[in-house]
């Protein structure tokens, strides 16, 4: 047990050292002091946009510096507990200390990957768009399950979630849906989820209880702030208004408040029906279109653009990034990294961290499927 504790201690300290260097603690501490001084300025909110940026940067630095401090304190507490337990022969307390070290190791690994989210928009809020594939009701129901999965993932991480658009299927599920996930590094974490997701199960819509395979696609793209200029000509777009689908009260049912914008040169289509006001939906749809066009431009620039686009060309066999098997056995497997889970129910309830971490590590460190243990 002592050998395991020593190995965990060294690994955690190494991760903490990397995190401290990446953050540059001395510089971050001085910057936080500057931001705290600005926050005390009574004229701060004269410029609301500038004030919000200052508050966001301050909150981020406070969280990152605070997390490092808590890590070091928790590590010392766990090591002290193990040392005292060994001296007193208290096996239960010693195991408790080891369990805390294992937890700290997992969290340190996660934060080490998160520290490498240095892309221009990794720290931004993100849109998560889900589309059903061929297969009618079965596929629409699978799209609904994925839509809920990402909402639950976001809620687990204390991100704010808004439903921007939801087009319901004819009998069940959704044909498409868009979530806006707000929180630090929301896009950085979620961006690896873009691609086709495959479900295998006994269909609840088949009276003969046969096994069905369904597909749905997920696209993840960042919310673009004012720092990034994207020129969209209104003449290149077709704007349609329509009535929101599904329940939503008398206003939604009788007013063409939903907005769909088609960017004719690229064929990109975005839609918003989250607000009762057509004006607000139109503004949100324009922001979504700018975000999609930015993401498209970034994909073109990246060397892996062809592979990324290929994963989106067809919602069906041969293009999936992850398979979710509910029958005849229980397994979720990511086909890019090899990460698996034997508890699909947990995954569909938003437990996606192991998949996201492995995909991010693969992007950062390169190589094929990472060597990981199966998730029980």
């Amino acid at each position: 047990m002592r050998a395991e504790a020593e190995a965990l201690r060294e690994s955690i300290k190494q991760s903490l050292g990397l995190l401290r260097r990446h953050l540059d603690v001395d510089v971050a501490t001085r910057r936080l002091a500057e931001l705290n001084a600005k926050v005390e300025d009574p004229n701060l909110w004269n410029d609301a946009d500038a004030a919000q940026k200052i508050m966001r940067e301050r909150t981020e630095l406070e969280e990152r510096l605070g997390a490092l401090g808590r890590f070091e304190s928790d590590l010392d507490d766990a090591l002290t507990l193990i040392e005292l337990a060994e001296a007193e022969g208290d096996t239960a307390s010693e195991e408790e200390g080891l369990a805390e070290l294992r937890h700290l190791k997992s969290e340190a690994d996660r934060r080490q990957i998160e520290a490498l989210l240095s892309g221009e928009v990794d720290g931004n809020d993100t849109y998560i768009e889900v589309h059903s594939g061929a297969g009618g009701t079965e596929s629409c129901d699978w799209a609904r399950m994925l839509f809920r999965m990402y909402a639950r993932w976001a809620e687990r991480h204390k991100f704010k979630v808004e439903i921007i658009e939801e087009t319901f299927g004819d009998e069940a599920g959704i044909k498409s849906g868009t979530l806006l996930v707000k929180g630090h590094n929301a896009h950085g974490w979620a961006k690896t989820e873009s691609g086709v997701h495959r479900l295998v199960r006994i269909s609840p819509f088949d009276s003969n209880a046969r096994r069905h395979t369904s597909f749905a696609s997920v696209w993840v793209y960042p919310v673009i702030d004012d720092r990034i200029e994207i020129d969209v000509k209104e003449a290149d777009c077709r704007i349609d208004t329509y009535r929101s689908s599904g329940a939503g009260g008398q206003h939604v049912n009788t007013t063409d408040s939903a907005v769909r914008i088609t960017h004719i040169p690229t064929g990109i289509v975005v839609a918003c029906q989250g607000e009762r006001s057509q004006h607000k939906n139109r503004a949100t749809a324009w922001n979504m279109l700018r975000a999609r066009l930015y993401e498209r431009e970034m994909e073109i620039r990246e060397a892996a653009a062809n592979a990324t686009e290929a994963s989106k060309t067809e919602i069906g066999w041969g293009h999936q990034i992850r398979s979710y098997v509910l029958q005849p056995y229980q397994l979720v497997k990511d086909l890019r990294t090899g990460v698996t889970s034997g508890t699909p129910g947990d995954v569909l309830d938003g437990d996606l961290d192991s998949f996201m971490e492995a995909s991010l590590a693969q992007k950062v460190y390169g190589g094929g499927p990472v060597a990981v243990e199966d998730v029980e």
Side-chain angles (χ1 to χ4, degrees):
M1 198 171 287
R2 173 177 285 275
E4 182 183 1
E6 283 295 319
L8 287 168
R9 180 180 72 87
E10 288 304 315
S11 179
I12 295 168
K13 283 196 168 185
Q14 183 179 28
S15 293
L16 286 174
L18 290 171
L19 288 171
R20 289 182 69 86
R21 287 196 294 276
H22 189 274
L23 179 59
D24 199 337
V25 172
D26 292 339
V27 172
T29 301
R30 288 197 296 271
R31 177 58 178 164
L32 181 59
E34 293 173 3
L35 293 171
N36 284 334
K38 290 183 178 181
V39 168
E40 294 175 2
D41 184 347
N43 297 318
L44 173 68
W45 288 97
N46 290 346
D47 185 341
D49 290 339
Q52 288 176 353
K53 290 178 181 178
I54 289 171
M55 295 301 292
R56 280 197 300 268
E57 184 182 357
R58 175 175 177 257
T59 299
E60 178 187 345
L61 283 176
E62 279 185 334
E63 196 281 331
R64 294 176 71 181
L65 287 168
L68 278 176
R70 289 191 299 274
F71 259 117
E72 292 167 345
S73 177
D74 290 346
L75 177 60
D76 288 340
D77 289 347
L79 292 172
T80 299
L81 176 60
I82 291 173
E83 185 178 343
L84 292 174
E86 285 181 340
E88 298 175 3
D90 185 347
T91 305
S93 294
E94 191 173 355
E95 182 55 43
E96 181 183 342
L98 274 173
E100 177 61 17
L101 285 181
R102 295 182 192 113
H103 170 73
L104 289 173
K105 170 69 167 61
S106 175
E107 187 63 20
D109 289 345
R110 171 185 167 82
R111 286 189 174 269
Q112 191 173 327
I113 293 173
E114 188 174 52
L116 297 172
L117 296 178
S118 55
E120 186 177 16
V121 292
D122 280 349
N124 289 23
D125 301 335
T126 194
Y127 296 108
I128 301 178
E129 197 173 297
V130 179
H131 292 268
S132 63
T137 300
E138 188 69 34
S139 180
C140 288
D141 191 54
W142 173 222
R144 177 195 59 80
M145 293 166 67
L146 285 174
F147 198 63
R148 177 187 179 277
M149 179 181 77
Y150 289 114
R152 292 289 295 121
W153 166 77
E155 290 164 0
R156 281 173 176 243
H157 289 276
K158 311 300 182 185
F159 292 149
K160 184 178 178 181
V161 184
E162 297 178 12
I163 296 177
I164 299 298
E165 183 270 336
E166 198 171 14
T167 301
F168 294 92
D170 295 333
E171 296 180 31
I174 60 172
K175 294 179 180 178
S176 67
T178 304
L179 294 172
L180 170 57
V181 180
K182 296 182 177 180
H184 177 58
N185 280 339
H187 179 67
W189 280 111
K191 64 184 180 182
T192 60
E193 290 296 297
S194 288
V196 175
H197 297 244
R198 168 179 173 253
L199 173 71
V200 179
R201 65 171 177 176
I202 301 297
S203 171
F205 306 102
D206 188 334
S207 59
N208 294 317
R210 290 172 295 190
R211 193 169 64 188
H212 285 245
T213 298
S214 306
F215 298 94
S217 68
V218 175
W219 290 7
V220 180
Y221 50 100
V223 174
I224 303 303
D225 56 34
D226 294 335
R227 294 177 296 110
I228 301 172
E229 294 185 5
I230 302 294
D231 183 27
V232 185
K233 297 179 181 178
E234 191 162 347
D236 289 338
C237 301
R238 185 177 70 249
I239 303 174
D240 301 306
T241 58
Y242 58 99
R243 294 182 184 179
S244 300
S245 65
Q250 183 178 0
H251 180 94
V252 172
N253 291 332
T254 60
T255 305
D256 291 344
S257 59
V259 176
R260 181 189 299 111
I261 301 178
T262 303
H263 188 247
I264 297 170
T266 62
I268 291 174
V269 180
V270 296
C272 180
Q273 62 179 38
E275 301 285 347
R276 290 191 172 190
S277 163
Q278 184 187 116
H279 176 74
K280 290 181 179 179
N281 284 334
R282 183 185 293 256
T284 299
W286 276 115
N287 288 336
M288 292 169 66
L289 179 58
R290 290 175 62 242
R292 285 285 298 274
L293 289 171
Y294 171 84
E295 181 72 359
R296 180 177 181 272
E297 178 62 26
M298 292 302 292
E299 286 180 352
I300 292 172
R301 293 179 189 177
E302 291 176 359
N306 290 337
T308 302
E309 287 303 309
S311 71
K312 299 177 182 179
T313 55
E314 180 183 341
I315 308 177
W317 286 101
H319 299 278
Q320 63 264 24
I321 63 169
R322 190 177 302 145
S323 288
Y324 306 70
V325 181
L326 305 186
Q327 279 100 9
Y329 53 88
Q330 300 264 306
L331 182 70
V332 179
K333 182 173 182 179
D334 194 289
L335 305 179
R336 303 162 299 176
T337 63
V339 171
T340 63
S341 170
T343 54
D346 291 342
V347 175
L348 292 172
D349 200 39
D351 187 9
L352 295 168
D353 287 0
S354 60
F355 297 102
M356 291 181 175
E357 289 169 17
S359 293
L360 286 170
Q362 188 180 69
K363 279 180 172 288
V364 171
Y365 301 116
V370 295
V372 294
E373 296 179 358
D374 287 358
V375 180
E376 295 298 333

